[in-house]
Structures are given as C-alpha cells and as structure tokens.
Amino acid sequence: MTIQQVLLLLLLWMWLPHPCHTEMFFRRTPDLRPKSFGGRALGSDEKAIHRQKRGWMWNQFFLLEEYTGSDYQYVGKLHSDQDKGDGSLKYILSGDGAGTLFIIDEKTGDIHATRRIDREEKAFYTLRAQAINRRTLRPVEPESEFVIKIHDINDNEPTFPEEIYTASVPEMSVVGTSVVQVTATDADDPSYGNSARIIYSILQGQPYFSVEPETGIIRTALPNMNRENREQYQVVIQAKDMGGQMGGLSGTTTVNITLTDVNDNPPRFPQSTIHLRVPESSPVGTAIGSVKATDADTGKNAEVEYRIVDGDGTDMFDIVTQKDTQEGIITVRKPLDYETRRLYTLKVEAENTHVDPRFYYLGPFKDTTIVKISVEDVDEPPVFSRSSYLFEVHEDIELGTIIGTVMARDPDSASSPIRFSLDRHTDLDRIFNIHSGNGSIYTSKPLDREISQWHNLSVIAAEINNPKDTTRVPVFVRILDVNDNAPQFAVFYDTFVCENARAGQLIQTISAVDKDDPLGGQKFFFSLAAVNPNFTVQDNEDNTARILTRRNGFSRHEISTYLLPVVISDNDYPIQSSTGTLTIRVCACDSRGNMQSCSAEALLLPAGLSTGALVAILLCIIILLVIVVLFAALKRQRKKEPLILSKEDIRDNIVSYNDEGGGEEDTQAFDIGTLRNPAAIEDKKLRRDILPETLFVPRRTPSAPDNTDVRDFINQRLKEHDTDPSAPPYDSLATYAYEGNDSIAESLSSLESGTTEGDQNYDYLREWGPRFNKLAEMYGGGESDKDTS
C-alpha cells in the first residue's frame, strides 16, 4: 500500500463515526394496545400477567472493510434501559454471522467482528438482538433487527471484460467517427465516495485516435486516413478510478483497429496499347488474350467491368469479365478470315461497378486502352454451311431415298475439292450412306421408328489435297411415324365369369397399346369379331372397354372356358386393327363375386385329392379298360365259327344263322320306331308276307369269277334277295300296327260276352249323341228280337 493510500484511509477514518462510540439503547415506548412477549406469566390467582412492549432505540452500525488489526474489530454496543448494571440481564445476538463472524458480550452487550470483512463479498449484515432475564430466561425487551453496514475502501482496480478488442472503421472517415466503445467495471461501492468512478484515457494510438473520458468511446482523430498507406492500428486504453485523481487504481486494455476499404481509387491500365495475335482458324468463342486494369482498392470496391466501346472489330470480338481474377478475356465472336482482313483495332474500357458518390471528386472511376489484334494465316479445314443439320423422314420411304444434303467448302484461296464420308461409329447398322462428292445422305436399309426414333450421324469433310485436315458436323435424322402397327392388348388378361353371374355384369376392363405415336394421340375402338350370345364389349371411348355378360348363369359342367375374340382398331390412317382373344373361365364365386374355384374336376373329386393322385387314378382306369377290351377280343376270337362249312360250292352253303332275335319285346336288337311310324312304309315296295300273285321267272344268277372276294359275293346275293319279292320266306315279316290310347267308351268287342252272366245293357249309347245312334239301334233292340223269335 502506497503512502497516498494510507493518508486517504486516515482522512476517511476521521470523517466517519468511530465504532467505539456507537451504541444502541433500549427505551420504553408506550403502546396503546397491550401485547404479550413470547408467552404469559401466571400469578397465584392464575391470572395472566401482561407487560407493555418495549422498543429498541435504533442506530445503524458501520464497519470498515479490510480491517488489519490484531484484535477483534469493535462494532458497537447494545444496551437496555432495564439493565441496572447488576448482571441480571443477558444479551443474545442472532442472524447473519452471529456467533461466528459477530460475537456479543452477553453481560455488557459489546459486539465485535472476529475476522476481516470484504464488502465486495457482502455489503451488509442483518442481525437480531434480544435482552432476557438471566434468572427467569424471560425476555425483558422484544426482539428487534438491526443492520451492520460495511464501509467501502478503494481496494479494487477497474477491469475490462476483454484483454484485446477488435474494431474497424472505414478509411477516409471524418474526424470524430466512432470506432468502438470500451467499458471497464470496478467492484468497489459506486454509491460511496469515488472508489468506483472511472475515467478513460489513451496511452497509445495518438494522434490517430482519441477516447472520451467518461464513456470510453474511441473516435478517429485525423482526417483522410488512407488504408492504402496504413491498414492496422493498435490503441491502448487506460481506465482509472477515484475520478482519475492521484492514488486511484487503474487497468488497461488493447484495441486493434483496422481501416476498411472504400472505393477511393479508380482502375488504371498499365499500358495504353496492347497487341494480340490470333490464328484465323480459331473457332467462335476461342479466348485470344486478356487485359487487366489495376485498382488499389480491395473486394467489391476493386471490381471492374470491361467492355468494348469503339474500334473496327466490335462485331468480330467480345470481351468477358473474369470475376475471380478481375481480367477482361477477349474472345472470337465471328469466324475470322485471313484472306478478308488481317488487323483489327479495339478500344476497351474498364470501370468500377461499385462507385462511392462521396469520392466523385477524385476523378472518373474508369480507364481505357487500345487493343490491336493481328490475324494469322493457317491452312483451314473445310467449313460446313451449318453448324448442325436436322433432317426429318417418314419411316416408310423406299431404299435409296435421299433424306438431305450437307454442304462444305474450302475457305482457303486454293479452294480444294471436298470429299464427304460418314463416321461409321455413329451408324453401326449401316442404315445410311452418303455420296462422297455432293454430300447427299440416302437410306441403305429400311427405317423403323419403333426401333429407333432418332439417328445421330457424324459427317466428315476432308480436302482431297489434304485428307488429314478434316471437319465434322453433326447430322440429326428424325424418323417420322407412319401408322404401321396394329394395337394390341396392353397386358395379358386372366378373366373369369361367375356361375351365378347376371346379364350385364362387368367381368373385365381391357385396354390397348400401340407402338405408333400419332400426332393427335392414341384413339382405340373395341368391338367383337362376331355376335356372341354370352358376352358383349362396351367401348368406354377412353381407350378402354368393358366386357359384359349377356345372359344369366354359367355352368362349368357344360362349358368351363369361353374364347372371346375382340377386335381393336386405331384411329390413324391407314387404320390398323388386330384381334385379341380373351380366355374367360367359368368359376364358382361367393355372394360377393369373389372367385373360389374354376376347375370342373373340383365338383366331382374330394377337396383334398391332389393332382398327382388324380393322374394315378386315371392311369389305373385306362389300364383296366385296355385289359378288359383285350380279354373280350380274345374270347370272341375263340368262339367265332368259320363262314365256310364245307368244301363244296361256297356260293350256296352260307345259309346258317347264329343270331336269334328276342321277339317283339327285344327292343335292343333293332329299332321298332319304324314299325310305329306309318310314314316309313313305302307303297311301291311289294309285301313279302304273302305269296305274290304274279310268278316271276327265276333269274339266272351269273356265276361269280373265281377271284371274287367272299364278302363281295355275300353282299351281292343279299342285295338280290332283298329286291326279289318271290324269294322265301313269305311270313318272315310280322307287322304290328300302332294303337293309340284306349277310348272312354271302353271296348265294344263281344268276345267276352259269353263270360257275362246276363245280357249287357247298351242303353247308355243313346246318351252319347247322334254319332252313336246307329250302335244304339243295333244293340239297344236286342231284347225285342229275342222276344219275337
């Protein structure tokens, strides 16, 4: 501690009230309302004894911080007017730091601080004091609070939150421009004395900058500070307490200040004339050189835009600003020709893009230079008339048709002839060819747009005198569509119809696709190849159609699968159509129309029988049938008798029959329906059941050749006997007429009249009407005849 600080502390001590003379007295204060103090005392008559509340005489204690003495620091004294000095009272202290930091003499009421106190840790302490009777331990005074306030001394220097500050200010700023504000803090009490009053001053950085003493704001102190001359500055600021007076404590900080750039410098070309060379073969867009103007500024203030403002080559060259290098790149705008012109002159201007109006007085922020461009002669390759060619051709053209012609010329004065060729790497299928002399491209194979819609060819042009110097040009061939494909089903349709389907029920929605691509878009029409009694097609007119049923109910037993031919046509010219067949299975469905089973065998076979088991059963059945057939054939072969019974004339001996009919009840041997149908009787045929009246002369049957087959002989003889009416037997055909339902009049036959006991009465015949009158006369008069006889 310096001598000045010691003197200051002594001066402060003299002006403050001395703690040794500070006391707090208790005195009685009248209270209109009697109050009890912590309890009640009972006398002999069991009545509560009340006493008046007594108050403390208030006086605040003060204590100097950072006490360095060897004894306890005296704070003050508590005293009650009830204290007679006989030691009957006891003083008690409680609250902040009571018993540890602050102690009290319970007899005298003196308060001492046991250690050094720092106000910056705690500025005041709140405690409670009480006086009690030592013998009865009853309070004689009510408890009251008091405060021990710590007096501050200047024991903390000002501090800055940062050791180093970074700030910036634009160059060329006017004097007094604010740069940055620095603020220091002091832990001492700002409300007591000048211990926390801070004054700022600049220790380093003059004469460029200054600082406001009260606020700490750093400002510029010189005009026209140029960044191009000096960019970085270091300023040291001091903060001192006690109002900056002698004996105050201080702290410092460093501020690094950077001058930021402003556009106060125009661009300048280092040369007034620039020479460039370019070959005449340079293609359009080729960079032939660059120009650059220098600018002392940085960033956007140094950005420059280049343009050609004058000259005889403004239409032949362009200039582009390169942002990263701030250069002007000169490029070829049009093809150059040495034979036409050999020298061009350009006037190029460079101008700042971001100009600050405050510095217009420094002059125009642009500059110009002259660029001279010399064109050099080269042996140029052929030049095509276009940069690319586009030919369109329909896919149905004939082979050898010319689809287009490319043209090229030799730009040199010699004008050498040109030869054309196709790069076969761009036409691997050799669909096209080119005439080497005139550049005509023609087809060598059929075109198909559905296979390839575009063909990208590359045509090579070379001088006949210098075939190594070639030029290429892209040729794009677009194949135009022709309606040469018929529409087809879009997908394979697995269609089924329920057995319980109703008429008009939708069973499938179909759509179509076509490889062709007409200009107006695809349009398909759906119809049936023929009228179908089971299904119909309804065109939705949106390239889809619906398959509907035409009747109620289908049966898997009758037909399990239907084939429905559907005709699909497009709308382009010429119209193309195709027939697609839908396979419609008949399936069993539930009430909601969900398919359950489509196999007809599922109705006959157990549900759990597998396909393999079914195949095995079928094979066994087939084998058994084959065995039975073979066994029957062998048995019949054994029982068969020979046709020839003797070795004599075979023509007269084949008369035996080994098959006998079963009579009129044998309906299995022949169909008796012919006998019941009178229309089957031919009138012209003679009856063979009676002897004919006319006797035919017996015909002499010609003898059969020796080589006649037995079967032919038999068939011939049978035919002769069938057509011979005189051939026996005569009664071989027994005819039976067909009799209808019996009459309601029952039988009129008298065959059974002999069996009756008496004569039958036929009088009821008269009741049947006029048709039966004759019968009634014949049978009704029987009795009169008998009587007369």
Side-chain angles (χ1 to χ4, degrees), residues 599-613:
S599 175
E601 291 78 1
L603 298 175
L604 303 176
L605 298 176
L609 204 56
S610 64
T611 304

Side-chain angles (χ1 to χ4, degrees), residues 131-302:
I132 63 174
N133 188 290
R134 187 180 297 272
R135 182 174 60 83
T136 62
L137 299 179
R138 292 182 178 179
V140 296
E141 297 289 349
E143 185 179 52
S144 180
E145 289 185 355
F146 65 94
V147 176
I148 299 178
K149 188 175 181 181
I150 310 301
H151 273 305
D152 182 49
I153 64 173
N154 191 18
D155 58 344
N156 293 279
E157 69 275 3
T159 58
F160 289 93
E162 298 181 13
E163 294 183 0
I164 298 178
Y165 289 83
T166 301
S168 62
V169 63
E171 63 173 332
M172 309 296 291
S173 297
V174 298
V175 176
T177 302
S178 176
V179 180
V180 68
Q181 181 179 11
V182 294
T183 303
T185 58
D186 196 321
D188 293 327
D189 188 3
S191 62
Y192 183 78
N194 294 328
S195 298
R197 183 186 175 191
I198 299 174
I199 298 297
Y200 301 93
S201 61
I202 184 168
L203 301 181
Q204 179 182 329
Q206 295 175 333
Y208 307 104
F209 299 96
S210 62
V211 64
E212 291 183 358
E214 300 292 338
T215 61
I217 297 176
I218 302 174
R219 300 181 182 275
T220 57
L222 286 181
N224 300 327
M225 288 194 297
N226 197 339
R227 184 199 64 83
E228 288 72 30
N229 296 334
R230 183 177 176 182
E231 185 176 5
Q232 299 289 337
Y233 294 88
Q234 189 176 70
V235 178
V236 178
I237 302 297
Q238 182 190 60
K240 189 174 183 180
D241 60 10
M242 298 298 294
Q245 298 178 2
M246 184 179 295
L249 305 179
S250 64
T252 60
T253 188
T254 302
V255 182
N256 293 327
I257 301 175
T258 302
L259 294 183
T260 57
D261 184 59
V262 297
N263 192 9
D264 58 342
N265 295 281
R268 291 289 180 264
F269 282 106
Q271 299 174 349
S272 60
T273 304
I274 300 174
H275 294 274
L276 298 176
R277 295 181 177 272
V278 55
E280 66 169 338
S281 60
S282 299
V284 174
T286 301
I288 63 175
S290 63
V291 295
K292 184 176 183 179
T294 59
D295 194 324
D297 298 321
T298 60
K300 69 177 184 178
N301 296 317

Side-chain angles (χ1 to χ4, degrees), residues 416-473:
S416 174
I418 306 298
R419 182 181 297 276
F420 298 95
S421 62
L422 274 177
D423 185 356
R424 288 302 174 185
H425 292 89
T426 61
D427 185 25
L428 297 177
D429 296 332
R430 295 183 177 271
I431 300 176
F432 302 94
N433 212 335
I434 189 171
H435 193 284
S436 61
N438 57 22
S440 298
I441 301 175
Y442 57 92
T443 60
S444 59
K445 289 185 179 180
L447 302 177
D448 191 349
R449 188 200 68 88
E450 285 69 38
I451 296 177
S452 179
Q453 186 176 358
W454 286 90
H455 296 274
N456 301 326
L457 308 178
S458 179
V459 176
I460 304 172
E463 297 180 8
I464 296 179
N465 299 333
N466 185 14
K468 293 184 178 179
D469 200 359
T470 61
T471 304
R472 293 174 177 263
V473 66

Side-chain angles (χ1 to χ4, degrees), residues 93-104 111-112 114 127:
L93 187 66
S94 61
D96 292 342
T100 56
L101 179 58
F102 300 103
I103 59 175
I104 188 171
I111 302 173
H112 291 81
T114 60
L127 293 95

Side-chain angles (χ1 to χ4, degrees), residues 740-754:
N741 296 330
D742 52 338
S743 175
I744 60 175
E746 299 181 355
S747 178
L748 301 178
S749 176
S750 60
L751 296 178
E752 296 181 356
S753 61

